[in-house]
Amino acid sequence: MKAIRIHEFGGPEVMKIEEVERPLAQPDEILVKMYASGVNPADYVVRQGGNEILKPFLKLPLGLGLDGAGEIAEIGSEVIGFKKGDKVYGIPNFLSGTYAEFIAAKANQFAIMPNNVSFNEAGAIPSCALMAWNGMDLGQVGAGQRVLIHGAAGGIGSLALQFAKAKGAYVIGAASKSNFEFLRQLGADEVIDYNDENFAGLLHHIDVVFDASPVFNEDARMMMAGALKEHGRFVSVQLPYPFSEAILEKLGNKHAEAKMIRRQLDVAPSLTDIAKLIEEGKVRIVISKVYPMEKAAEAHVELESKHVRGKIVLEIRKEDGKYEAD
Ligand SMILES: NC(=O)c1ccc[n+]([C@@H]2O[C@H](COP(=O)([O-])OP(=O)(O)OC[C@H]3O[C@@H](n4cnc5c(N)ncnc54)[C@H](OP(=O)(O)O)[C@@H]3O)[C@@H](O)[C@H]2O)c1
């Protein structure tokens, strides 16, 4: 089967499509015939050699890709709840590499994908959606609360905005001006420009800050912390950038909490709940561009611009035909 691998760390050019052995499903695993893989910031971070958290785990050669969607081709003898041919989406073990024609994964790392989306749309959902979903839990987002989503037009942000709306919150989306209309279409009640020099002055009485920006900025964090109400929650996706003492002090003074999102291991129950919301039409996935597997390097260049609207996806196979010799 074909898979994208790297034999050295570096720029997008280090990604190569190679012929590798098709994995076998172990007794507790499913073999997924992949149709689409999400393209996520972790993919270019791994490709570049990792950050302080990832570095110790990265041993070359490596496959790339965190999440995706496909059809179950084989089922391990101990797996229950799935059958061959089921359309699934999920997040296999970290570094399994979803930029591949087949993936073997523990059955609890996948769930039945929403029945009203394409494989390309489903493949874009799992990792971002779970970050946004867990963020809602950590932030205890509920009806009537004022929730600020920072980086609201991106992969995680565009889903967090919709999840918060689905929970009945009043949602303020922060993005570049060019994305204001997009955020309104997703349901934002208010939109603000994080580039505005008066950013701090635009923020008021926030119950929950959900920071989904791909750019770490201590000043922006400080301004958002300043806008939180007493007992508010500041939730961040930026695991490599712990909250500074100064931010913790500012939050502590108003009995507000700082929370860093981590993804849980048993992802299937959350992915099933998310599929339901999508099937009910309460949440939609926005794909700004689909790249064929051969153009993974271009997909990375685009994502590294840090201004993708919604998601970009790597198409491993066409829905209506075969991409390679099965
Ligand atoms: N994707 C995942 O599954 C995942 C998992 C764990 C952690 N993370 C981390 O979460 C972060 C976001 O991931 P993502 O997948 O949502 O990234 P993404 O889709 O690449 O984010 C793009 C968005 O970031 C916004 N943005 C760019 N610069 C910004 C700034 N200075 N301040 C605020 N927003 C800014 C852009 O908004 P405008 O174009 O409107 O300026 C754009 O809409 C990354 O740091 C990533 O490492 C991601």
Side-chain angles (χ1 to χ4, degrees):
M1 70 162 193
K2 291 190 180 65
I4 292 189
R5 307 231 292 177
I6 58 170
H7 291 263
E8 59 182 317
F9 298 116
E13 70 286 350
V14 300
M15 289 186 283
K16 308 283 181 217
I17 295 196
E18 294 180 354
E19 204 55 48
V20 299
E21 214 165 301
R22 185 190 289 198
L24 292 172
Q26 299 302 308
D28 60 346
E29 290 184 337
I30 52 176
L31 181 73
V32 182
K33 179 176 169 180
M34 298 293 288
Y35 277 77
S37 170
V39 185
N40 293 291
D43 303 349
Y44 60 71
V45 174
V46 168
R47 194 205 70 221
Q48 290 162 351
N51 52 32
E52 291 313 308
I53 295 174
L54 295 179
K55 253 188 198 113
F57 301 100
L58 306 185
K59 305 273 179 280
L60 294 167
L62 269 178
L64 293 179
L66 285 183
D67 58 355
E71 203 174 273
I72 297 185
E74 273 172 37
I75 299 214
S77 55
E78 294 168 6
V79 173
I80 49 170
F82 286 121
K83 60 182 186 316
K84 209 170 157 176
D86 278 346
K87 294 178 170 188
V88 291
Y89 71 152
I91 309 180
N93 278 343
F94 185 57
L95 301 177
S96 305
T98 52
Y99 298 180
E101 287 179 327
F102 289 88
I103 277 288
K106 305 261 180 247
N108 66 357
Q109 295 169 330
F110 276 76
I112 300 291
M113 68 186 227
N115 61 18
N116 56 344
V117 301
S118 65
F119 278 121
N120 282 340
E121 289 167 316
I125 296 170
S127 183
C128 280
L130 283 167
M131 292 298 286
W133 193 251
N134 292 350
M136 295 300 112
D137 277 352
L138 281 181
Q140 299 154 42
V141 172
Q145 292 180 347
R146 286 171 60 82
V147 178
L148 170 70
I149 312 282
H150 188 48
I156 298 177
S158 60
L159 286 164
L161 188 164
Q162 297 179 79
F163 291 159
K165 280 303 296 176
K167 286 180 175 290
Y170 179 91
V171 180
I172 303 146
S176 296
K177 272 202 176 60
S178 55
N179 278 320
F180 277 9
E181 191 44 39
F182 173 60
L183 299 192
R184 289 192 188 101
Q185 285 167 9
L186 293 180
D189 297 289
E190 227 178 276
V191 287
I192 57 176
D193 182 358
Y194 65 79
N195 302 295
D196 193 313
E197 56 187 32
N198 184 34
F199 183 52
L202 301 171
L203 304 168
H204 307 284
H205 307 300
I206 307 289
D207 292 289
V208 183
V209 168
F210 182 98
D211 185 359
S213 165
V215 177
F216 171 64
N217 181 333
E218 176 76 2
D219 291 341
R221 253 189 200 177
M222 191 57 89
M223 287 185 244
M224 294 188 285
L228 270 179
K229 288 184 191 167
E230 286 271 317
H231 302 286
R233 280 84 61 202
F234 191 127
V235 181
S236 172
V237 299
Q238 293 174 330
L239 209 50
Y241 302 104
F243 292 100
S244 66
E245 287 302 321
I247 299 272
L248 292 174
E249 191 184 331
K250 192 165 193 108
L251 295 174
N253 286 342
K254 53 174 96 174
H255 312 289
E257 290 176 86
K259 301 183 177 201
M260 201 56 84
I261 306 175
R262 285 180 173 75
R263 208 166 23 228
Q264 79 273 32
L265 291 177
D266 184 12
V267 299
S270 299
L271 285 177
T272 301
D273 290 343
I274 291 164
K276 192 159 171 279
L277 273 185
I278 293 173
E279 288 168 4
E280 289 167 352
K282 293 184 178 146
V283 170
R284 68 185 171 99
I285 180 84
V286 177
I287 306 285
S288 60
K289 191 150 180 187
V290 176
Y291 287 89
M293 204 168 164
E294 295 75 14
K295 300 219 164 139
E298 285 178 35
H300 275 215
V301 170
E302 185 175 349
L303 193 67
E304 284 178 79
S305 77
K306 298 190 168 70
H307 288 287
V308 166
R309 181 181 284 178
K311 290 292 297 177
I312 54 179
V313 183
L314 217 54
E315 187 174 65
I316 314 284
R317 283 186 174 78
K318 298 258 177 224
E319 299 239 359
D320 54 354
K322 297 186 177 185
Y323 221 37
E324 40 71 67
D326 284 341

